[in-house]
Amino acid sequence: MDLNFTTAEEEFRLKIRRFLEENLPKSGLGAGREGREDKAWLEKSKAWQRKLYESGYVALAWPKEYGGQALDPVCQTIVNDEMVRANAPYLPGGSGLGMLGPTLISWGTEEQKRRYLPKILTGEEIWCQGYSEPGSGSDLASLRTRAEIIGDEFVVNGQKVWTSGAQHADMMFCLVRTDPDAPKHRGISYILIDMHSPGITVRPLVQMTGDKGFNEVFFDNVHVPRKNLVGKLNEGWIVANATLFHERNMLGSATGSEQRFNRLLALTKKIKRGGRALTEDAVFRQRLADLEIRVEAMRFHSLRQLTDQIRGRNPGVETMINKLVGTELNHDLATAAMEAMGDYSMLAREDASVLDHGYWPYEWMFSLGLVIGGGTSHIQKNIIAERGLKMPKSR
Amino acid sequence: MDFGLSEEQRQLKASAREFLSAECAPSAVRKAMAAQEGRLAEVDREIAKLGWTGLIVPEKFGGAGLGILDVAVLLEEQGYAAMPGPFLFSSVLAAYAVARGGSDETGDKLLRPLAEGKAIGTIALAESGDSLAPRDFSTTAIADGTGARISGVKEFVPYASLADFMVVAARGDSGSADLFAVDSSAKGVRVEMLKNLDLTRRVGRVTFDQAAAIPLRREPALYPRLLDIGAVAIASDSLGGVERALDMAVDYSKVREQFGKPIGSFQALKHVAAEIVSEVEPARSLLWYAAYAQDARLADAPRFASMAKARLCDVYSRGTDRAVLMHGGIGFTWEHDIHLWFKRARFNESYFGSPALHRERVAQLGGY
Ligand SMILES: Cc1cc2nc3c(=O)[nH]c(=O)nc-3n(C[C@H](O)[C@H](O)[C@H](O)COP(=O)(O)OP(=O)(O)OC[C@H]3O[C@@H](n4cnc5c(N)ncnc54)[C@H](O)[C@@H]3O)c2cc1C
């Protein structure tokens, strides 16, 4: 055990802390998701990502030749910590940075890496994830969106659903069926689709929050160059799982839980119950402390996983639990905040009297969405039991 | 020994289910959600004809003079339908307070039109603090001849803009809270509506500036009893709500297929559904006792009102949360109806005191 950072790392921490103090967008973006994700929001957050990137604080561990700095993953952890501390807004290019980028670094061709990675870093190209279909959610491998190879192109027909951010996206990483006769896991390919191509229709779906957050995406003879295939033809399932691995770690990130806990604690210090701050209420203190304990456990759990990653050790069941534990924890944090607010939790985030800028009513709902998205809690439990604990499969 | 609903109560429940599934389907509820007033005028007219609005109004004021268990049965069905509108606050709580606390003259003036469906009442209790205890109210009432004048700000007043009269809790001269009836059109009453998360309900902020009020003090200690009735009423709505969420999840699990079979065939979903129903059924029995205890004026009625409120609200919140999850992505959409109950559960949980507050009361009244 050595939890000390080197002098260079400590200097780096001070540098980013200063940067954030001086440059954090003061208004309009919202430190969290309370800001509505409209066009104006997108432009502002793209500008924020670009500034962050140009100052050297985005995806530090990525290889230099694709715009990264090839730094130790520890530096990224320092950046994450400081972002939490400063309550910085999240980045619009999240699915590129957190999901596709790492997948391409392992699975992409040289040309794909050079073409796509730099623009993910700057936030110039926004990505969306085309996995789920109306008939294929938990059973993702049953997907039916068809891609036929004609000449040096894929011709795509079918439909995706629940596609987050497709309304703003320039590109989609997409799973398509390229061999309808093979067993379901063996006929899938992973391709990159330009969202501005003819034949694509994006139809927004309204979430229970009242926002248009995800979409239906229809493909009608959409032409995609064959060079946009990632991994081998009909072997997309393994690439898809690489992305899911990154997605699930991102959704379950301890950084996000810490940020929420800090916000919850600040909120409850200001709320009075029985004439005292809620933090002094015997029952609620217990609840808060329990949540903090769970958050801290996940924070150190992520340091342990980071160490394993640096040492090149293969992740096991301890990583499979991230998505389940992290998203349920985030939802518990938001539910605790709603309870803390008492009658004020009745108010919609638009109401002038709503507490904490309306962050919690939205977060309370959205955090439940993330218990579902990226593979539901039930599916995570199946994976943990069957792949992690090697319990017999039931299906 | 006979612990259960009477034949008449069963009939009331069945006819309410039939009426509401026809007239108050989710498509109708959504119309009310989108409308400014947040209610369905047609449904409100029909329920007056059915006699619901006067259900607990004494016969001498044109009502049916029934009890709390009767109304609990009806509120359960309204919760099942997520019925929008002021019924619970008007025909149950405001009616109860005026019937018990008002003079015959006041009853005649306020309750007769309410029973006929021609007037709406509401209750103005909470303030910006978390407490419903009289000593914490900043709203005051000052005697003025035979009446009083009220000043202060009340928060989260249901359907404030629709109400013809309001039952207001205020600190009286003697320091203890009293209930007062205030005509909404009186001078010095100002209403400002708030934006609700649960759109099947509406609440507002009401400012009273020396508004003329009629004291409701015929029956002593009416205010705590009103809080108990409120707790039982919200618990009843919650019972219906969690039943609906469970029905929706179970129905969906029979038709949605993944991995080549109905998702309901996976034990993960069976266990979640079984857990919900295993919480709901004992809670239903608890609620029946709590409502009966009010009618029979048993000594432990206040304690059981708090038990019912705490338990049913917990079961409702947890049940709807897991019911959303059982739907997968579709459950997170605006288009799917499950979020109506998910959000209504949140309203019910905080309104009339959180489960934490009621559990504390259970302990206190239990002498531990
Ligand atoms: C906020 C949000 C954002 C999303 N963003 C995206 C996106 O950007 N791109 C994308 O491709 N998808 C996205 N999704 C879709 C998400 O991945 C799916 O909703 C999820 O995988 C579940 O699939 P489904 O909706 O078809 O539900 P279903 O698979 O129909 O599941 C319904 C219920 O059955 C249960 N179930 C199913 N199979 C089993 C089993 N074998 N054992 C136990 N229980 C089972 C589930 O847990 C769930 O409770 C998003 C979803 C949400 C809510």
Side-chain angles (χ1 to χ4, degrees), chain A residues 29-102:
Chain A
L29 273 184
R33 289 180 183 268
E34 74 268 34
R36 282 181 181 270
E37 299 184 9
D38 54 14
K39 269 263 176 309
W41 169 85
L42 185 71
E43 289 315 315
K44 274 194 223 157
S45 16
K46 274 181 160 180
W48 166 238
Q49 179 168 335
R50 176 169 270 279
K51 186 165 197 180
L52 209 57
Y53 171 69
E54 283 169 354
S55 313
Y57 300 121
V58 174
L60 298 94
W62 287 17
K64 282 196 176 135
E65 52 276 42
Y66 315 121
Q69 302 174 54
L71 289 176
D72 195 296
V74 170
C75 292
Q76 185 64 54
T77 307
I78 292 173
V79 171
N80 294 349
D81 280 350
E82 291 303 315
M83 300 274 252
V84 171
R85 202 171 164 275
N87 207 13
Y90 72 107
L91 301 179
S95 47
L97 287 170
M99 292 154 70
L100 180 70

Coordinates of all heavy atoms in Angstrom, one line a residue, chain A residues 29-102:
Chain A
L29 N -24.7 26.1 -17.7 CA -24.5 24.7 -18.0 C -25.2 23.8 -16.9 O -25.7 22.8 -17.2 CB -23.0 24.4 -18.0 CG -22.4 24.6 -19.3 CD1 -20.9 24.2 -19.3 CD2 -23.1 23.8 -20.4
G30 N -25.1 24.3 -15.7 CA -25.6 23.5 -14.6 C -24.6 22.4 -14.2 O -24.1 21.7 -15.1
A31 N -24.2 22.3 -13.0 CA -23.2 21.4 -12.5 C -24.0 20.1 -12.3 O -24.2 19.7 -11.2 CB -22.5 21.8 -11.3
G32 N -24.3 19.4 -13.3 CA -25.1 18.2 -13.2 C -26.1 18.2 -14.3 O -25.8 18.8 -15.3
R33 N -27.2 17.5 -14.1 CA -28.1 17.4 -15.3 C -29.3 18.3 -15.2 O -30.2 18.1 -15.9 CB -28.5 15.9 -15.4 CG -27.4 15.1 -15.9 CD -27.8 13.6 -16.0 NE -26.7 12.8 -16.4 CZ -26.4 12.5 -17.6 NH1 -27.2 12.9 -18.6 NH2 -25.4 11.7 -17.9
E34 N -29.3 19.2 -14.3 CA -30.5 20.0 -14.2 C -30.7 20.9 -15.4 O -31.7 21.4 -15.7 CB -30.6 20.8 -12.9 CG -29.7 22.0 -12.8 CD -28.4 21.6 -12.1 OE1 -27.9 20.4 -12.3 OE2 -27.9 22.4 -11.4
G35 N -29.5 21.2 -16.1 CA -29.6 22.0 -17.3 C -30.3 21.2 -18.4 O -30.0 20.1 -18.6
R36 N -31.2 21.8 -19.1 CA -31.9 21.1 -20.2 C -30.9 20.9 -21.4 O -30.1 21.8 -21.7 CB -33.1 21.9 -20.7 CG -34.2 21.7 -19.7 CD -35.4 22.5 -20.2 NE -36.5 22.3 -19.3 CZ -37.4 21.3 -19.4 NH1 -37.4 20.4 -20.3 NH2 -38.4 21.2 -18.5
E37 N -31.0 19.7 -21.9 CA -30.0 19.4 -23.0 C -30.5 19.8 -24.3 O -30.7 19.0 -25.2 CB -29.7 17.9 -22.9 CG -29.1 17.6 -21.6 CD -28.6 16.2 -21.4 OE1 -28.6 15.5 -22.4 OE2 -28.3 15.8 -20.3
D38 N -30.6 21.1 -24.5 CA -31.0 21.6 -25.8 C -29.8 22.1 -26.6 O -28.7 21.9 -26.2 CB -32.1 22.8 -25.6 CG -31.5 23.9 -24.7 OD1 -30.3 23.9 -24.5 OD2 -32.3 24.7 -24.3
K39 N -30.1 22.7 -27.8 CA -29.0 23.1 -28.7 C -28.1 24.1 -28.0 O -26.8 24.0 -28.1 CB -29.6 23.7 -29.9 CG -29.8 22.8 -31.1 CD -28.6 22.8 -32.0 CE -28.7 21.8 -33.2 NZ -28.9 20.5 -32.8
A40 N -28.7 25.0 -27.3 CA -27.8 26.0 -26.6 C -26.9 25.4 -25.6 O -25.7 25.7 -25.5 CB -28.7 27.1 -26.0
W41 N -27.5 24.4 -24.8 CA -26.7 23.7 -23.9 C -25.5 23.0 -24.5 O -24.4 23.0 -24.1 CB -27.6 22.7 -23.1 CG -26.8 21.7 -22.3 CD1 -26.4 21.9 -21.0 CD2 -26.4 20.4 -22.7 NE1 -25.7 20.8 -20.6 CE2 -25.7 19.9 -21.6 CE3 -26.4 19.7 -23.9 CZ2 -25.1 18.6 -21.7 CZ3 -25.9 18.4 -23.9 CH2 -25.2 17.9 -22.8
L42 N -25.9 22.4 -25.7 CA -24.9 21.6 -26.4 C -23.7 22.5 -26.8 O -22.5 22.1 -26.6 CB -25.5 20.9 -27.6 CG -24.5 20.0 -28.4 CD1 -24.3 18.7 -27.6 CD2 -25.1 19.6 -29.8
E43 N -24.0 23.6 -27.4 CA -22.9 24.5 -27.8 C -22.1 24.9 -26.7 O -20.8 24.9 -26.8 CB -23.5 25.7 -28.6 CG -24.1 25.4 -29.9 CD -23.2 24.4 -30.8 OE1 -22.0 24.7 -30.9 OE2 -23.8 23.5 -31.3
K44 N -22.7 25.3 -25.6 CA -21.9 25.7 -24.4 C -21.1 24.6 -23.9 O -19.9 24.8 -23.5 CB -22.9 26.2 -23.3 CG -23.3 27.7 -23.5 CD -23.9 28.2 -22.2 CE -25.1 29.0 -22.5 NZ -26.1 29.1 -21.4
S45 N -21.7 23.4 -23.8 CA -20.8 22.4 -23.2 C -19.8 21.9 -24.1 O -18.7 21.4 -23.7 CB -21.6 21.2 -22.6 OG -22.9 21.1 -23.1
K46 N -20.0 22.0 -25.4 CA -18.9 21.7 -26.4 C -17.7 22.6 -26.2 O -16.6 22.2 -26.2 CB -19.4 21.8 -27.8 CG -20.1 20.5 -28.3 CD -20.5 20.8 -29.8 CE -20.7 19.5 -30.6 NZ -21.2 19.8 -32.0
A47 N -18.1 23.9 -26.0 CA -17.0 24.9 -25.8 C -16.2 24.6 -24.5 O -15.0 24.7 -24.5 CB -17.6 26.3 -25.7
W48 N -17.0 24.2 -23.5 CA -16.3 23.8 -22.2 C -15.4 22.6 -22.4 O -14.3 22.6 -21.9 CB -17.4 23.5 -21.2 CG -17.0 22.8 -19.9 CD1 -17.5 21.6 -19.4 CD2 -16.0 23.2 -19.0 NE1 -16.8 21.3 -18.2 CE2 -15.9 22.3 -17.9 CE3 -15.1 24.3 -18.9 CZ2 -15.1 22.4 -16.9 CZ3 -14.3 24.4 -17.8 CH2 -14.2 23.5 -16.8
Q49 N -15.9 21.6 -23.1 CA -15.0 20.4 -23.4 C -13.8 20.8 -24.1 O -12.6 20.4 -23.9 CB -15.8 19.3 -24.1 CG -14.9 18.1 -24.4 CD -15.6 16.9 -24.9 OE1 -16.8 16.7 -24.6 NE2 -14.9 16.0 -25.6
R50 N -13.9 21.7 -25.1 CA -12.8 22.1 -26.0 C -11.7 22.8 -25.1 O -10.5 22.5 -25.2 CB -13.3 23.0 -27.1 CG -12.1 23.5 -28.0 CD -12.6 24.2 -29.2 NE -12.7 23.2 -30.4 CZ -11.7 22.9 -31.1 NH1 -10.5 23.3 -30.9 NH2 -11.9 22.0 -32.1
K51 N -12.2 23.7 -24.3 CA -11.3 24.4 -23.4 C -10.6 23.5 -22.5 O -9.4 23.6 -22.3 CB -12.2 25.4 -22.6 CG -11.3 26.4 -21.7 CD -12.2 27.5 -21.3 CE -11.5 28.7 -20.8 NZ -12.3 29.7 -20.4
L52 N -11.3 22.5 -21.9 CA -10.7 21.6 -21.0 C -9.7 20.7 -21.7 O -8.6 20.5 -21.2 CB -11.9 20.7 -20.5 CG -11.7 20.0 -19.1 CD1 -11.5 21.1 -18.0 CD2 -13.0 19.2 -18.8
Y53 N -10.0 20.3 -23.0 CA -9.1 19.5 -23.8 C -7.8 20.3 -24.1 O -6.7 19.9 -23.9 CB -9.8 19.1 -25.1 CG -8.8 18.4 -26.0 CD1 -8.2 17.2 -25.7 CD2 -8.3 19.1 -27.2 CE1 -7.2 16.6 -26.5 CE2 -7.4 18.5 -28.0 CZ -6.8 17.3 -27.6 OH -5.9 16.7 -28.4
E54 N -8.0 21.6 -24.6 CA -6.9 22.4 -25.0 C -6.0 22.7 -23.8 O -4.8 22.9 -24.0 CB -7.4 23.7 -25.7 CG -7.8 23.3 -27.1 CD -8.6 24.5 -27.8 OE1 -8.8 25.5 -27.1 OE2 -8.9 24.3 -29.0
S55 N -6.5 22.7 -22.6 CA -5.7 22.9 -21.4 C -5.1 21.6 -20.9 O -4.4 21.6 -19.9 CB -6.5 23.5 -20.3 OG -7.3 24.6 -20.8
G56 N -5.4 20.5 -21.6 CA -4.7 19.2 -21.3 C -5.4 18.4 -20.2 O -4.8 17.6 -19.5
Y57 N -6.7 18.5 -20.1 CA -7.4 17.8 -19.0 C -8.4 16.8 -19.5 O -9.3 16.4 -18.7 CB -8.0 18.7 -18.0 CG -7.0 19.7 -17.4 CD1 -7.1 21.0 -17.5 CD2 -5.9 19.1 -16.7 CE1 -6.2 21.9 -16.9 CE2 -5.0 20.0 -16.1 CZ -5.1 21.3 -16.2 OH -4.2 22.1 -15.6
V58 N -8.4 16.3 -20.7 CA -9.4 15.4 -21.2 C -8.6 14.1 -21.6 O -7.7 14.2 -22.4 CB -10.2 15.9 -22.4 CG1 -11.1 14.8 -22.9 CG2 -11.0 17.1 -21.9
A59 N -9.1 12.9 -21.2 CA -8.6 11.6 -21.6 C -7.1 11.6 -21.6 O -6.5 11.3 -22.6 CB -9.2 11.2 -22.9
L60 N -6.5 11.8 -20.5 CA -5.1 12.0 -20.4 C -4.3 10.7 -20.7 O -3.1 10.8 -21.2 CB -4.7 12.5 -19.0 CG -5.2 13.8 -18.6 CD1 -6.5 13.7 -17.9 CD2 -4.3 14.6 -17.9
A61 N -4.9 9.6 -20.5 CA -4.2 8.3 -20.7 C -4.2 7.9 -22.2 O -3.5 6.9 -22.5 CB -4.8 7.3 -19.8
W62 N -5.0 8.5 -23.0 CA -5.0 8.1 -24.4 C -3.6 8.3 -25.1 O -2.9 9.2 -24.8 CB -6.1 8.9 -25.2 CG -7.5 8.5 -24.9 CD1 -7.9 7.8 -23.8 CD2 -8.7 8.7 -25.6 NE1 -9.3 7.6 -23.8 CE2 -9.8 8.2 -24.9 CE3 -8.9 9.4 -26.8 CZ2 -11.1 8.3 -25.4 CZ3 -10.2 9.5 -27.3 CH2 -11.3 8.9 -26.6
P63 N -3.4 7.4 -26.1 CA -2.1 7.5 -26.8 C -1.9 8.9 -27.5 O -2.8 9.5 -27.9 CB -2.2 6.5 -27.9 CG -3.3 5.5 -27.5 CD -4.2 6.3 -26.7
K64 N -0.6 9.3 -27.5 CA -0.3 10.7 -28.0 C -0.6 10.8 -29.5 O -1.1 11.9 -29.9 CB 1.3 10.9 -27.9 CG 1.7 11.3 -26.5 CD 3.1 11.8 -26.5 CE 3.4 12.3 -25.1 NZ 4.7 11.9 -24.7
E65 N -0.5 9.8 -30.3 CA -0.7 9.9 -31.7 C -2.1 10.2 -32.1 O -2.4 10.7 -33.2 CB -0.1 8.7 -32.5 CG -0.6 7.4 -32.1 CD 0.2 6.7 -31.0 OE1 0.6 7.4 -30.0 OE2 0.5 5.5 -31.0
Y66 N -3.0 10.0 -31.1 CA -4.5 10.3 -31.4 C -5.0 11.5 -30.6 O -6.1 11.6 -30.4 CB -5.3 9.1 -31.2 CG -4.7 7.8 -31.7 CD1 -4.4 6.7 -30.9 CD2 -4.4 7.7 -33.1 CE1 -3.8 5.6 -31.5 CE2 -3.8 6.6 -33.6 CZ -3.5 5.5 -32.8 OH -3.0 4.4 -33.3
G67 N -4.0 12.3 -30.1 CA -4.5 13.5 -29.4 C -4.4 13.4 -27.9 O -4.7 14.3 -27.2
G68 N -4.0 12.2 -27.4 CA -3.9 12.0 -25.9 C -2.6 12.4 -25.4 O -1.8 13.0 -26.2
Q69 N -2.3 12.1 -24.1 CA -1.0 12.5 -23.6 C -0.2 11.3 -23.1 O 0.9 11.4 -22.5 CB -1.1 13.5 -22.4 CG -1.9 14.8 -22.9 CD -2.2 15.7 -21.7 OE1 -1.3 16.0 -20.9 NE2 -3.4 16.0 -21.5
A70 N -0.8 10.1 -23.2 CA -0.2 8.9 -22.8 C 0.3 9.0 -21.3 O 1.3 8.4 -20.9 CB 1.0 8.5 -23.7
L71 N -0.5 9.7 -20.5 CA -0.1 9.8 -19.1 C -0.6 8.6 -18.3 O -1.5 7.8 -18.8 CB -0.7 11.0 -18.5 CG -0.1 12.4 -19.0 CD1 -0.9 13.5 -18.4 CD2 1.4 12.4 -18.6
D72 N 0.0 8.4 -17.2 CA -0.4 7.4 -16.2 C -1.9 7.5 -15.9 O -2.4 8.6 -15.7 CB 0.4 7.6 -15.0 CG 0.5 6.5 -14.0 OD1 -0.6 6.2 -13.5 OD2 1.5 5.9 -13.8
P73 N -2.7 6.4 -15.8 CA -4.1 6.6 -15.4 C -4.3 7.3 -14.1 O -5.4 7.8 -13.8 CB -4.6 5.1 -15.3 CG -3.6 4.3 -15.9 CD -2.3 5.0 -16.0
V74 N -3.3 7.3 -13.2 CA -3.4 8.1 -12.0 C -3.8 9.5 -12.2 O -4.6 10.1 -11.5 CB -2.1 8.0 -11.2 CG1 -2.1 8.9 -10.0 CG2 -1.9 6.5 -10.7
C75 N -3.2 10.1 -13.3 CA -3.5 11.5 -13.6 C -4.9 11.7 -13.9 O -5.5 12.7 -13.5 CB -2.6 12.0 -14.8 SG -0.9 12.1 -14.4
Q76 N -5.5 10.7 -14.6 CA -7.0 10.9 -14.9 C -7.8 10.8 -13.6 O -8.7 11.6 -13.4 CB -7.4 9.7 -15.8 CG -8.8 9.8 -16.3 CD -9.1 11.1 -17.1 OE1 -8.4 11.3 -18.1 NE2 -10.0 11.9 -16.7
T77 N -7.3 10.0 -12.7 CA -8.0 9.9 -11.4 C -8.0 11.3 -10.7 O -8.9 11.7 -10.1 CB -7.4 8.8 -10.5 OG1 -7.3 7.7 -11.2 CG2 -8.1 8.6 -9.2
I78 N -6.8 11.9 -10.7 CA -6.6 13.2 -10.1 C -7.6 14.2 -10.7 O -8.3 15.0 -10.1 CB -5.2 13.7 -10.2 CG1 -4.3 12.8 -9.3 CG2 -5.0 15.2 -9.8 CD1 -2.8 13.1 -9.4
V79 N -7.6 14.2 -12.1 CA -8.6 15.1 -12.8 C -10.0 14.8 -12.3 O -10.7 15.8 -12.0 CB -8.5 14.9 -14.3 CG1 -9.6 15.7 -15.0 CG2 -7.1 15.4 -14.8
N80 N -10.4 13.6 -12.3 CA -11.8 13.2 -11.9 C -12.0 13.7 -10.4 O -13.1 14.3 -10.2 CB -12.0 11.7 -11.9 CG -11.9 11.2 -13.3 OD1 -11.9 11.9 -14.3 ND2 -11.9 9.8 -13.4
D81 N -11.1 13.5 -9.5 CA -11.3 14.0 -8.2 C -11.5 15.5 -8.1 O -12.4 16.0 -7.4 CB -10.0 13.7 -7.3 CG -9.9 12.3 -6.9 OD1 -10.9 11.6 -7.0 OD2 -8.8 11.9 -6.4
E82 N -10.7 16.2 -8.9 CA -10.8 17.7 -8.8 C -12.1 18.1 -9.5 O -12.7 19.2 -9.1 CB -9.6 18.3 -9.5 CG -8.3 18.1 -8.7 CD -8.4 18.6 -7.2 OE1 -8.9 19.7 -7.0 OE2 -8.0 17.9 -6.3
M83 N -12.5 17.4 -10.5 CA -13.8 17.8 -11.1 C -15.0 17.6 -10.1 O -15.9 18.5 -10.1 CB -14.1 16.9 -12.3 CG -13.0 17.0 -13.4 SD -13.3 18.4 -14.5 CE -13.8 17.5 -16.0
V84 N -14.9 16.6 -9.3 CA -15.9 16.4 -8.3 C -15.9 17.5 -7.3 O -16.9 18.1 -6.9 CB -15.7 15.0 -7.5 CG1 -16.6 15.0 -6.3 CG2 -15.9 13.9 -8.4
R85 N -14.6 17.8 -6.8 CA -14.5 18.8 -5.8 C -15.0 20.1 -6.3 O -15.7 20.8 -5.5 CB -12.9 18.9 -5.6 CG -12.6 19.5 -4.3 CD -11.1 19.4 -4.0 NE -10.8 20.3 -2.9 CZ -10.5 21.6 -3.1 NH1 -10.5 22.1 -4.3 NH2 -10.2 22.4 -2.1
A86 N -14.8 20.4 -7.6 CA -15.3 21.7 -8.1 C -16.7 21.7 -8.6 O -17.3 22.7 -9.0 CB -14.3 22.1 -9.2
N87 N -17.3 20.5 -8.5 CA -18.7 20.3 -9.0 C -18.8 20.8 -10.5 O -19.7 21.5 -10.8 CB -19.6 21.1 -8.1 CG -21.0 20.5 -8.1 OD1 -21.2 19.4 -8.6 ND2 -22.0 21.3 -7.6
A88 N -17.9 20.3 -11.3 CA -17.8 20.7 -12.7 C -18.9 20.0 -13.5 O -19.3 18.9 -13.2 CB -16.4 20.4 -13.2
P89 N -19.4 20.7 -14.5 CA -20.4 20.1 -15.4 C -19.8 18.9 -16.1 O -18.6 18.8 -16.4 CB -20.8 21.2 -16.4 CG -19.8 22.3 -16.2 CD -19.0 22.1 -15.0
Y90 N -20.7 18.0 -16.5 CA -20.2 16.8 -17.2 C -20.0 17.1 -18.7 O -20.6 18.1 -19.2 CB -21.0 15.6 -17.0 CG -22.4 15.6 -17.7 CD1 -22.6 14.8 -18.8 CD2 -23.4 16.4 -17.2 CE1 -23.9 14.8 -19.4 CE2 -24.6 16.5 -17.8 CZ -24.8 15.7 -18.9 OH -26.1 15.7 -19.5
L91 N -19.3 16.3 -19.4 CA -18.9 16.6 -20.8 C -19.9 16.1 -21.8 O -20.4 15.0 -21.6 CB -17.5 16.1 -21.1 CG -16.4 16.7 -20.2 CD1 -15.1 16.1 -20.5 CD2 -16.4 18.2 -20.3
P92 N -20.2 16.8 -22.9 CA -21.2 16.4 -23.8 C -20.7 15.2 -24.7 O -21.5 14.4 -25.1 CB -21.4 17.6 -24.7 CG -20.1 18.3 -24.7 CD -19.6 18.1 -23.3
G93 N -19.4 15.1 -24.8 CA -18.8 14.0 -25.6 C -18.7 12.7 -24.8 O -17.8 11.9 -25.1
G94 N -19.4 12.5 -23.7 CA -19.3 11.4 -22.8 C -19.3 10.0 -23.4 O -18.4 9.2 -23.1
S95 N -20.2 9.8 -24.4 CA -20.2 8.4 -24.9 C -19.1 8.2 -25.8 O -18.6 7.0 -26.0 CB -21.6 8.1 -25.6 OG -21.9 9.2 -26.4
G96 N -18.5 9.2 -26.5 CA -17.3 9.0 -27.2 C -16.1 8.8 -26.3 O -15.3 7.9 -26.5
L97 N -16.0 9.7 -25.3 CA -14.9 9.6 -24.4 C -14.9 8.3 -23.5 O -13.9 7.7 -23.4 CB -14.9 10.8 -23.4 CG -14.5 12.1 -24.0 CD1 -14.8 13.2 -23.0 CD2 -13.0 12.1 -24.4
G98 N -16.1 8.0 -23.0 CA -16.1 6.9 -22.1 C -16.4 5.5 -22.7 O -16.1 4.5 -22.1
M99 N -17.0 5.5 -23.9 CA -17.4 4.2 -24.5 C -16.7 3.8 -25.8 O -16.0 2.9 -25.9 CB -18.9 4.2 -24.7 CG -19.7 4.2 -23.3 SD -21.3 4.9 -23.4 CE -22.2 3.6 -24.3
L100 N -16.9 4.7 -26.8 CA -16.3 4.3 -28.1 C -14.8 4.5 -28.1 O -14.1 3.6 -28.6 CB -16.9 5.2 -29.2 CG -16.3 4.8 -30.6 CD1 -16.8 3.4 -31.0 CD2 -16.6 5.8 -31.7
G101 N -14.3 5.6 -27.5 CA -12.9 5.9 -27.6 C -12.0 4.7 -27.1 O -11.2 4.1 -27.9
P102 N -12.3 4.2 -25.8 CA -11.5 3.1 -25.3 C -11.7 1.8 -26.2 O -10.8 1.0 -26.3 CB -12.1 2.8 -23.9 CG -12.8 4.1 -23.6 CD -13.2 4.8 -24.8

